[in-house]
Amino acid sequence: MTNQPDTHSMKLLDIPLMLRLKQNAIVLHSEMGLTNDARGQNTALLSSIVFPRGLYTLVAHADDQDVVGQFRYHADEVNAHIVYLAPTLQDDEDDTVWLHILDAMAQQAGKSGAQNLVAEVETSHRLFETMRSAGYAVYSRQVIWQHCAIEDEILISSVRVTPETNDDQIGIASLLGCTIPRILQTVMGPSADMDGLVYRKDGRIEAYIAYSEGKHGVYLIPYLHPDVLSDASDIITAAVCELERCRKVPIYVSVRGYQGWLENAMLDLGFTPWLEQAVMVKHLTAGIRQTTFSRVGLGASIKPKTVSTMRIMTIKDKKDTKQLHG
């Protein structure tokens, strides 16, 4: 007999269970997982219950199986992102309780205001098929390239990158708009918690390197205009030289499926392909539609027209919501 599943937000009484399960978690947020411990320290777990600060943790129980799931979402952003599920799903396990936790997280993310719930999962992992069953679609593939800390290596670049400023935001937005396929733009842009470096050529921003730094690594996402593809190696080298932490911890670069031409630059710089993932997305809402009225002519009938008010995150929103990497 199948027990009725119980799914709820994590409470103080659930902490011992969470501490036990999270030791065998699968991390689905590469930026957080490769720079810091995405599963959180014990003090952070307690803080996330009392003062959530953008982290939502849920627990599901069914048929003597327990699963903990956490996602990250900040107000005024379009996307929520699953941080981890624990324990990891084994190949021969019944995935029913994992389907329940995924459904519960989608409901909670939607109630919180997110339009999409995003996760990064290895295509060879059993969870990949479970997420497809839960209504997630593959938006893009990505390969995470790894390089050890550069330590005392002497890196020379013929170009220069500089930290982004508020005056750069229009140029960065324009660059992202022409480098990310339109259908992927609301999902594949840099997260609100990332800082960035810009490369200018002839007065225009032709490359943007988004990055996060943490205890365990530096995570980079490059966005390069097609006109500077031949400078890709130098631009990435310049970014690594600019970030002091690259001399102390491993460096990771995310190369999305539509950026396949960056692979040669990664090899030239001594990076090795480390992890292949699918960026999976579940749509939570189609946006809010409001009816407005316009007069079409004297004596003519007034016809309603529907206007979409779907929210899109702008670069300014990105800066206003930045909290974790001050």
Side-chain angles (χ1 to χ4, degrees):
M1 179 178 179
T2 302
N3 296 326
Q4 186 69 23
D6 169 40
T7 306
H8 60 269
S9 296
M10 193 179 74
K11 306 172 184 176
L12 291 174
L13 292 176
D14 296 316
I15 288 182
L17 172 67
M18 185 183 196
L19 293 176
R20 174 171 58 85
L21 295 181
K22 80 184 185 75
Q23 302 304 318
N24 187 29
I26 176 171
V27 177
L28 303 174
H29 193 311
S30 295
E31 176 197 340
M32 293 182 66
L34 296 175
T35 57
N36 294 290
D37 184 358
R39 298 167 298 180
Q41 301 298 322
N42 294 350
T43 54
L45 296 178
L46 180 59
S47 177
S48 69
I49 300 174
V50 182
F51 306 106
R53 297 181 182 178
L55 291 175
Y56 298 80
T57 309
L58 292 87
V59 179
H61 175 82
D63 294 333
D64 297 324
Q65 288 181 308
D66 296 293
V67 174
V68 173
Q70 185 179 86
F71 70 88
R72 170 203 166 280
Y73 176 70
H74 290 308
D76 298 327
E77 291 185 13
V78 174
N79 303 313
H81 203 305
I82 298 178
V83 177
Y84 70 84
L85 293 176
T88 186
L89 177 61
Q90 302 299 323
D91 290 340
D92 57 350
E93 280 189 284
D94 179 5
D95 63 0
T96 300
V97 69
W98 278 268
L99 289 169
H100 282 297
I101 195 73
L102 288 168
D103 183 63
M105 285 194 291
Q107 291 186 39
Q108 182 60 57
K111 290 178 182 178
S112 301
Q115 294 183 13
N116 305 303
L117 187 55
V118 184
E120 296 158 291
V121 60
E122 293 178 68
T123 55
S124 59
H125 198 283
R126 167 73 188 287
L127 187 62
F128 175 75
E129 292 300 332
T130 297
M131 296 190 73
R132 292 181 64 178
S133 299
Y136 287 77
V138 176
Y139 257 48
S140 180
R141 308 280 176 153
Q142 69 180 16
V143 176
I144 307 296
W145 293 72
Q146 182 190 46
H147 195 294
C148 296
I150 59 176
E151 298 179 348
D152 296 327
E153 293 180 35
I154 299 177
L155 297 180
I156 300 175
S157 175
S158 61
V159 303
R160 181 171 177 261
V161 297
T162 57
E164 64 178 318
T165 67
N166 288 333
D167 294 337
D168 295 326
Q169 301 314 307
I170 293 177
I172 294 171
S174 176
L175 174 69
L176 297 180
C178 67
T179 55
I180 304 174
R182 186 174 182 84
I183 193 173
L184 306 179
Q185 287 180 6
T186 58
V187 174
M188 305 304 291
S191 77
D193 297 320
M194 301 185 83
D195 292 302
L197 300 166
V198 297
Y199 165 68
R200 295 177 179 81
K201 186 175 183 180
D202 298 328
R204 294 178 53 187
I205 294 177
E206 300 283 19
Y208 178 70
I209 310 296
Y211 70 90
S212 287
E213 299 176 284
K215 179 180 179 181
H216 302 301
V218 177
Y219 184 78
L220 309 174
I221 306 179
Y223 301 92
L224 277 67
H225 192 278
D227 290 346
V228 296
L229 301 189
S230 59
D231 299 324
S233 296
D234 282 332
I235 293 170
I236 294 172
T237 298
V240 170
C241 291
E242 185 73 19
L243 302 175
E244 181 66 27
R245 190 144 189 83
C246 290
R247 293 166 172 78
K248 303 175 182 178
V249 296
I251 308 161
Y252 303 94
V253 178
S254 173
V255 176
R256 272 68 188 272
Y258 56 87
Q259 300 172 307
W261 46 266
L262 273 176
E263 293 183 0
N264 289 334
M266 293 292 98
L267 292 171
D268 290 342
L269 293 173
F271 282 78
T272 56
W274 183 67
L275 192 62
E276 184 174 350
Q277 299 174 317
V279 180
M280 305 190 75
V281 179
K282 181 166 185 175
H283 297 294
L284 307 178
T285 175
I288 301 172
R289 294 186 178 274
Q290 299 175 340
T291 299
T292 60
F293 297 88
S294 61
R295 188 177 297 277
V296 295
L298 187 62
S301 61
I302 299 177
K303 298 181 180 181
K305 63 179 181 179
T306 302
V307 179
S308 173
T309 59
M310 183 174 292
R311 176 165 46 89
I312 301 296
M313 185 185 78
T314 65
I315 293 296
K316 181 177 184 299
D317 296 328
K318 171 181 180 289
K319 287 299 171 188
D320 291 342
T321 58
K322 186 173 295 182
Q323 299 176 14
L324 299 185
H325 298 282

